[in-house]
Amino acid sequence: MAQNVSEPASTTSARSTGTCSAWARAHAEERAEAKCGKRVVIVPIVVVAVVIATTISALETKSTTTHGLYLTDRFWVVAMNKCTLIANKSGRVYRVYRPNRRLATLIVGIVPLVVFAGLLNVETLPGTDIDMTVPYVAEGPGPTIDTLSDFNGKEVIEISGAEVDNTSGQLNMTTVSIWSNLTLGKAMRKWLDRDSRLVPTETVFPQDVSKEEIAEKNATAFTTSEFNATAAALHYLKHPLDVEIVEVTDKSPAQNVLQLHDVVRQVGEKKVATPQEVVEAVGAHSPGDDIEVQVLRDGKEQTHKITLAEFPDDPKRPYLGVVLGPKPANDLKVEYTLQDIGGPSAGLIFSLAVVDKLSPGELTNGKFVAGTGTIDPAGNVGPIGGVSHKISAARAAGAEVFLVPALNCTEARGADAGDMTLVKVDTLGGAIDALKDDQSLAAAPSCQ
């Protein structure tokens, strides 16, 4: 306890604490007159910590009569046989009672622990620019979203230009959450969480790539998965598709010739119906070749001659400079409304949802189905990362069935699936067949 000694005491009080009075008189010219007073004052905790630590060091001698004078950055500390006086450089004087050795040891042990606990949860060392975060990020289960339902007030998949069938059950896409800039305390908590995993930062955020570039790449992958999901679903349903230009690259042969939303009908002598067919038709030529590209623009067919350039990363490959996406023909429109989600792993679930909405009957049979996996326009399912976290997310959400890409089965076997059935899938058609009824589900290939 600290006490203010700024007010003079009575003569009797001075005699009863003679040692303190003697010190005050001896140093009256350089310090304000002080006696061991009675009035309690509250001082900041940092002051108390400095006072206690310095006082303890002064009292660590066996002699109780030795007087010691110690100078710190902010305080004069005088250890007396009955009390310790601390005077700051403005002349204000405080008294701190001498703690016993056991209390002193306890305080000395607790203070470093308090300081260490505080440092566990700061990103920079206070008062400096020193980074206190760890070189790891944490991966864990992310949100799951029902693609047959609404999200933030909008249907996840909006379809127009065709009759939409009623659906039941759930078809949930799953995600992985990433936590970066971890303090040591946060990293320890994630390490103790059985559903989370610490991985080196560079495996998620390569040092030579900015976070903005990674976010842009993930957003592009997510958009591509939407195009592929639509193409795969309509291919399965045998609905005709067009090939639409969704981006024209700057400083490319196609710039100022082809336009956004042009529908590509023919490349050279080859009629095209999928983005892959366009890629193959262009790839059959060489850099420097002239090709004719027939497009539908504003309801009118146009033909444009374009000289192919060298591909930026491979001078032997021909370069046109457009990004293509499948577009449903006959005024059918499929739009995806989710925002701020990246990566290609929702492709399979998106495709299943489109099939469910555009075909009679209920694909899920009222079950809660979740899953993951990339998909290409032909309906082939590809592997993804973080499948164990996605299984954990689906389990926590209450899913009954989880669709696992065939190449992720090994990792899936080590995940805690609870009572979920883990179905192994490698094509869109295979996933649809497995979900037809309970018998088909029981007979489907499993990852368990």
Side-chain angles (χ1 to χ4, degrees), residues 94-367:
Y94 299 97
R95 183 183 72 176
V96 177
Y97 285 112
R98 180 199 306 268
N100 61 40
R101 187 174 296 274
R102 181 173 299 175
L103 178 59
T105 302
L106 180 62
I107 293 173
V108 169
I110 287 176
V111 169
L113 290 177
V114 172
V115 173
F116 179 69
L119 293 177
L120 285 178
N121 294 291
V122 295
E123 294 185 6
T124 58
L125 191 65
T128 73
D129 294 328
I130 299 175
D131 187 6
M132 297 291 287
T133 59
V134 298
Y136 290 88
V137 298
E139 296 179 339
T144 71
I145 300 171
D146 182 13
T147 57
L148 297 177
S149 186
D150 295 350
F151 185 75
N152 289 339
K154 289 186 176 181
E155 283 188 275
V156 173
I157 301 176
E158 296 179 342
I159 297 178
S160 61
E163 184 178 351
V164 177
D165 192 55
N166 292 327
T167 61
S168 65
Q170 291 182 233
L171 267 174
N172 280 42
M173 59 171 285
T174 51
T175 63
V176 174
S177 289
I178 302 291
W179 294 270
S180 59
N181 295 324
L182 296 177
T183 64
L184 182 57
K186 290 179 180 178
M188 291 172 64
R189 289 193 291 273
K190 291 297 181 184
W191 181 73
L192 293 171
D193 182 356
R194 67 172 187 170
D195 287 332
S196 297
R197 181 180 64 167
L198 294 178
V199 297
T201 301
E202 59 268 20
T203 63
V204 178
F205 303 110
Q207 293 182 352
D208 57 343
V209 182
S210 69
K211 290 186 178 181
E212 290 75 17
E213 291 174 321
I214 293 172
E216 183 178 354
K217 181 179 178 181
N218 285 336
T220 300
F222 190 70
T223 301
T224 301
S225 76
E226 294 173 341
F227 285 129
N228 288 346
T230 300
L234 297 184
H235 177 75
Y236 178 84
L237 295 170
K238 296 181 172 50
H239 190 285
L241 286 165
D242 288 331
V243 182
E244 183 182 39
I245 295 177
V246 296
E247 183 181 339
V248 179
T249 307
D250 289 341
K251 300 179 181 179
S252 70
Q255 189 176 24
N256 300 322
V257 181
L258 302 180
Q259 295 182 9
L260 195 67
H261 303 308
D262 280 353
V263 174
V264 182
R265 291 291 180 82
Q266 188 169 320
V267 177
E269 300 298 324
K270 183 178 180 180
K271 292 187 179 297
V272 293
T274 68
Q276 184 59 33
E277 290 178 353
V278 176
V279 171
E280 292 171 355
V282 172
H285 294 79
S286 300
D289 288 353
D290 291 332
I291 63 170
E292 290 187 345
V293 179
Q294 185 184 96
V295 300
L296 182 67
R297 182 184 299 167
D298 299 327
K300 297 179 180 180
E301 289 190 351
Q302 302 179 11
T303 300
H304 300 274
K305 180 181 283 189
I306 301 174
T307 301
L308 297 174
E310 296 178 351
F311 205 85
D313 296 332
D314 185 353
K316 295 182 179 180
R317 290 174 56 196
Y319 178 52
L320 179 59
V322 293
V323 178
L324 304 168
K327 176 184 177 182
N330 305 330
D331 297 324
L332 174 65
K333 291 184 179 180
V334 179
E335 297 182 353
Y336 303 84
T337 63
L338 288 179
Q339 303 291 328
D340 301 325
I341 296 178
S345 64
L348 170 61
I349 296 298
F350 279 156
S351 198
L352 286 169
V354 173
V355 170
D356 198 7
K357 285 173 174 279
L358 288 177
S359 59
E362 298 178 351
L363 190 148
T364 66
N365 290 302
K367 287 184 171 59

